[in-house]
Amino acid sequence: MKTFLTVSALGLMTSAAVAQDATQTLPDAVGKVAPALEAYSNNSLFSEVWTDEAMSHRDRALVTFAALMTRQDTGALSDHVALALDAGVTAAEISETITHLAFYTGWGNATAAATAAAPVFEARGITAEDLSAVDPELLGYDEEAEASRQEFVQGTYGSVSQGVVDDTEQLLFLDLWRRPALEPRDRSLVTVAALIAAGQAEQMTFHLNRAMDNGLTQDEAGAMLSHLAYYSGWPKVFSAMPVAKDVFENRSE
């Protein structure tokens, strides 16, 4: 009984710390201008969503950063970079997320995110040595699956834009996706989060399946949708829900 109480107390303390960390990202101006929004933030987003153990605090911080970067919410990015670092996301993982999502959300979003992260990195003494390597030894990959994917893309779109087809294979799947600074699961995680935040649900099927192949659980995927409703808006999440439903059902057959 004594052990149970100790563990329970520790869990409550951890949840309180998580909520306290997240509250630091809400500007004081919100309470002065929209007190009801401040109340929803404190009573639902911070006290319930961020403390829900269906998804780790670290993953929530990474997903939130990916969503804000996708939406180019530059006013909030610096605080969420700091939150992600405090939650256990490494500087190299943030750096690599920015690089990865340049290909999925556009170079402008990536440069804006790097600009927002720079003062946080400088304040914390993070240097180039702490970041992902420019030319690392790449991870292995499923050559048969990649050949099949490339054959489909080539046959479907080669006559439309050979440049896109070639870069998709050579830059994205044979290079970017094999960089080791983000675990395959996390690379898939931020990709799915970005697609949801961008309202590109039609692109989700492949990437959500890949995320789950890489270790994302159905409970975590469901929690990500619930989390992103606050940071991307309910309409975008509801556009993503039918895709997620189909993926979950097809994988359970």
Side-chain angles (χ1 to χ4, degrees), residues 36-49:
L37 176 58
E38 181 181 54
Y40 281 124
S41 299
N42 289 329
N43 298 333
S44 183
L45 177 58
F46 300 139
S47 297
E48 296 180 4
V49 175

Side-chain angles (χ1 to χ4, degrees), residues 27-201:
D28 293 338
V30 172
K32 297 175 182 178
V33 175
L37 176 58
E38 181 181 54
Y40 281 124
S41 299
N42 289 329
N43 298 333
S44 183
L45 177 58
F46 300 139
S47 297
E48 296 180 4
V49 175
W50 273 93
T51 60
D52 182 357
E53 295 182 356
M55 192 176 197
S56 72
H57 184 43
R58 181 258 183 199
D59 285 353
R60 289 183 185 278
L62 186 59
V63 161
T64 306
F65 174 75
L68 293 176
M69 174 182 160
T70 300
R71 295 170 55 83
Q72 205 170 128
D73 287 340
T74 54
L77 272 173
S78 293
D79 285 342
H80 280 278
V81 169
L83 177 63
L85 290 169
D86 290 341
V89 181
T90 68
E93 289 169 335
I94 291 174
S95 171
E96 192 67 21
T97 295
I98 292 172
T99 300
H100 182 84
L101 291 184
F103 289 84
Y104 285 89
T105 73
W107 248 242
N109 286 19
T111 56
T115 300
V120 181
F121 280 18
E122 182 177 1
R124 296 194 178 210
I126 294 168
T127 68
E129 294 180 355
D130 302 310
L131 307 181
S132 55
V134 173
D135 189 21
E137 182 177 348
L138 299 177
L139 301 174
Y141 69 104
D142 186 331
E143 295 185 22
E144 183 177 349
E146 174 54 27
S148 177
R149 188 206 60 76
Q150 175 60 15
E151 181 180 0
F152 169 79
V153 174
Q154 178 66 53
T156 307
Y157 300 115
S159 62
V160 179
S161 176
Q162 190 61 48
V164 172
V165 171
D166 290 344
D167 285 347
T168 299
E169 180 185 27
Q170 297 300 323
L171 286 181
L172 267 68
F173 288 104
L174 294 184
D175 191 328
L176 182 72
W177 276 90
R178 296 175 59 199
R179 290 174 57 83
L182 270 181
E183 292 292 330
R185 172 192 177 277
D186 293 341
R187 200 173 285 278
S188 290
L189 182 70
V190 298
T191 305
V192 174
L195 292 175
I196 294 170
Q200 295 179 333

